[in-house]
Amino acid sequence: MFNAIGRIFRTPDLRRKLGFTLGIVALFRLGSFIPAPFVDFTNVQACLASTQGASGLYELVNVFSGGALLQLSIFALGIMPYITASIIIQLLRVVIPHFETLYKEGQSGQAKLTQYTRYLTIALGVLQSTTLITVARSGALFSGASAPECSQLITNDAWYAILLMVITMTAGTGLIMWMGELITERGIGNGMSLLIFTSIAATFPGSLWAIATTKGFDTFAVVLAIGLLIVVAVVFVEQSQRRIPVQYAKRMVGRRTYGGNNTYIPIKVNMAGVVPVIFASSLLYLPALIAQFNQPAAGEEPQAWVVWIQNYLTKGDHPLYMLLYFLLIVGFTYFYVAITFNPDEVSENMKKYGGFIPGIRAGRPTAEYLDYVLTRITLPGSMYLGVIALIPLIAFAAVGANQNFMFGGTSILIIVGVGLETVKQIDAQLQQRHYEGLLR
């Protein structure tokens, strides 16, 4: 293992790529601590010291930004606008035929879709930065904060100050997007995924130390042991796949013979990744957002439906919230897998190149068989996602941890998934230059 790591730094090309990646990551983390214009840094730190974190959807955004959201830094929005834009463009392929045509055109068409994603990212950056500044001005950004400084985070309420803050945060999102693309082109691994990985991993030491100081080292040891077990389970499931065998018939093209080989279609247990968790979190936040805009005036009683939402759909430790969260994740998993994996398209491509599944006729029977397998393998995958996502909520109810508990939900899924993919890419590049790679 150590010899393989040594070969990474002895290979000039790989060493240069790794150094470039680490340099971009360092700049990304540095920008997370630079406050935006007209933000009172002292008051922000006082609020961070008196509260456990953000509330609602901002919990998820704060995790993806590595804590930059609550510090109102120039990188406060993190990579979340790009993730949302990518998901929206991917879903629009089903609704807009032009997007599906561009996707099938190959590299040129997908380059246009990437450009659309960039434009949408900037638009979402403007919208989310405006919302964030509005919430910060109202003092509702921090949950459970009792410090009076939390309502005085912005030092200047003039229109030009707000406009400058919106432009700065939106430009920060564009800069992060550019950094991610630079890593993808000139570094190691997928740039956007690595930046998310960095943001989440940066919060681990602080979260672990907070558990050790507030709950004691006994609870800290238990949490650490459970976390390691969760990591092992996630690695096992993320690597699990159903391999459907495919045979290709021999065919003559000129004087050459093609085909005649055996391969397989890998269908992962968790094909949807972390997207269903993001969808479910966003959808469950909508009722709380609607209720927030229907607060009664001073001296008036709140409406019954507002009280019901505040009691049942805003706190993650309520059983009804957990049940709805679990069911939404299961439903969105089926929905997203149905969009991203098209059995008819796979069957048509196999038939075009002379491929067939042993015992299954080509064409429509192959598509029905693939749909049959996909439907049944998605069920354990969706339940696995739901259980993993509920771990931070259960920890919040059991030990009083905050809902950004690191050994569960989106955090551990992204950490494990990106880590495995990056190690595989390093291993592939090592094997191009040496007989042995990083993995055994």
Side-chain angles (χ1 to χ4, degrees):
M1 180 67 181
F2 291 104
N3 290 335
I5 295 176
R7 284 197 299 272
I8 294 176
F9 293 98
R10 287 195 299 268
T11 306
D13 184 37
L14 199 55
R15 183 176 64 241
R16 185 171 59 253
K17 289 183 177 181
L18 192 60
F20 180 82
T21 302
L22 293 177
I24 294 294
V25 167
L27 290 175
F28 171 66
R29 287 304 301 160
L30 178 64
S32 301
F33 296 98
I34 300 176
F38 304 108
V39 171
D40 193 323
F41 185 75
T42 305
N43 289 353
V44 169
Q45 296 303 312
C47 291
L48 285 173
S50 64
T51 185
Q52 289 186 342
S55 60
L57 182 61
Y58 287 105
E59 294 167 1
L60 189 64
V61 183
N62 190 52
V63 169
F64 280 4
S65 66
L69 174 83
L70 295 185
Q71 300 191 38
L72 295 176
S73 70
I74 58 174
F75 287 171
L77 301 181
I79 203 69
M80 197 63 181
Y82 183 83
I83 297 173
T84 307
S86 300
I87 294 173
I88 291 174
I89 295 296
Q90 197 168 12
L91 294 178
L92 287 179
R93 282 172 41 202
V94 184
V95 182
I96 303 177
H98 177 62
F99 282 10
E100 184 66 23
T101 304
L102 289 176
Y103 179 77
K104 293 180 178 179
E105 283 181 1
Q107 186 175 1
S108 61
Q110 291 181 15
K112 291 183 180 178
L113 288 179
T114 303
Q115 196 68 19
Y116 293 155
T117 304
R118 292 169 182 163
Y119 295 147
L120 185 57
T121 300
I122 298 301
L124 289 175
V126 173
L127 178 63
Q128 293 184 15
S129 59
T130 304
T131 306
L132 174 61
I133 294 169
T134 302
V135 173
R137 290 175 62 193
S138 66
L141 179 61
F142 294 90
S143 60
S146 57
E149 294 89 351
C150 295
S151 59
Q152 301 173 359
L153 301 178
I154 310 298
T155 59
N156 192 340
D157 284 342
W159 67 268
Y160 61 87
I162 303 301
L163 179 62
L164 182 60
M165 292 179 67
V166 170
I167 293 175
T168 302
M169 291 184 179
T170 305
T173 298
L175 184 58
I176 292 173
M177 181 171 58
W178 179 63
M179 286 179 173
E181 293 178 353
L182 280 181
I183 293 177
T184 303
E185 293 175 4
R186 301 173 56 185
I188 294 290
N190 183 284
M192 301 301 177
S193 300
L194 278 175
L195 292 182
I196 299 173
F197 175 93
T198 304
S199 299
I200 297 174
T203 62
F204 266 54
S207 300
L208 286 172
W209 182 247
I211 292 176
T213 54
T214 58
K215 302 296 180 181
F217 284 93
D218 294 338
T219 305
F220 169 78
V222 172
V223 168
L224 199 60
I226 294 175
L228 292 176
L229 290 177
I230 293 173
V231 169
V232 172
V234 170
V235 170
F236 177 76
V237 177
E238 290 296 318
Q239 296 291 89
S240 301
Q241 56 183 224
R242 168 74 182 275
R243 296 181 175 181
I244 300 178
V246 178
Q247 294 181 1
Y248 284 91
K250 292 183 179 180
R251 54 195 178 96
M252 296 291 295
V253 180
R255 293 184 178 182
R256 293 188 177 183
T257 303
Y258 293 91
N261 59 334
N262 299 329
T263 183
Y264 60 86
I265 300 174
I267 299 182
K268 294 181 62 177
V269 174
N270 178 25
M271 291 188 64
V274 75
V275 174
V277 181
I278 298 175
F279 279 3
S281 302
S282 303
L283 191 61
L284 273 180
Y285 176 63
L286 289 179
L289 182 64
I290 296 173
Q292 185 177 357
F293 285 105
N294 287 272
Q295 294 297 323
E300 296 182 1
E301 291 292 330
Q303 301 181 26
W305 65 272
V306 175
V307 175
W308 189 89
I309 288 177
Q310 291 176 345
N311 291 337
Y312 297 104
L313 295 183
T314 56
K315 296 182 179 180
D317 57 348
H318 197 278
L320 179 60
Y321 184 96
M322 294 184 181
L323 178 62
L324 288 176
Y325 194 36
F326 181 84
L327 293 178
L328 283 173
I329 289 175
V330 172
F332 278 127
T333 302
Y334 274 96
F335 173 72
Y336 191 74
V337 169
I339 289 175
T340 56
F341 188 91
N342 189 347
D344 294 325
E345 184 179 347
V346 174
S347 172
E348 192 64 31
N349 290 335
M350 288 171 53
K351 185 178 180 181
K352 184 186 302 183
Y353 294 102
F356 62 93
I357 300 174
I360 307 294
R361 289 186 349 186
R364 187 64 187 171
T366 298
E368 292 176 354
Y369 177 75
L370 290 174
D371 184 65
Y372 173 86
V373 173
L374 187 65
T375 302
R376 278 148 186 80
I377 205 171
T378 302
L379 178 61
S382 62
M383 297 184 70
Y384 147 80
L385 270 182
V387 171
I388 291 295
L390 284 179
I391 288 175
L393 301 184
I394 295 173
F396 176 68
V399 299
N402 68 9
Q403 296 190 32
N404 298 329
F405 184 69
M406 59 282 182
F407 289 125
T410 55
S411 302
I412 204 67
L413 289 172
I414 293 174
I415 287 284
V416 171
V418 176
L420 288 174
E421 189 62 32
T422 305
V423 169
K424 286 180 181 178
Q425 291 198 24
I426 295 176
D427 180 67
Q429 296 201 28
L430 273 180
Q431 287 183 350
Q432 291 178 358
R433 300 166 178 86
H434 306 276
Y435 287 111
E436 291 184 0
L438 185 64
L439 303 175
R440 297 267 181 191

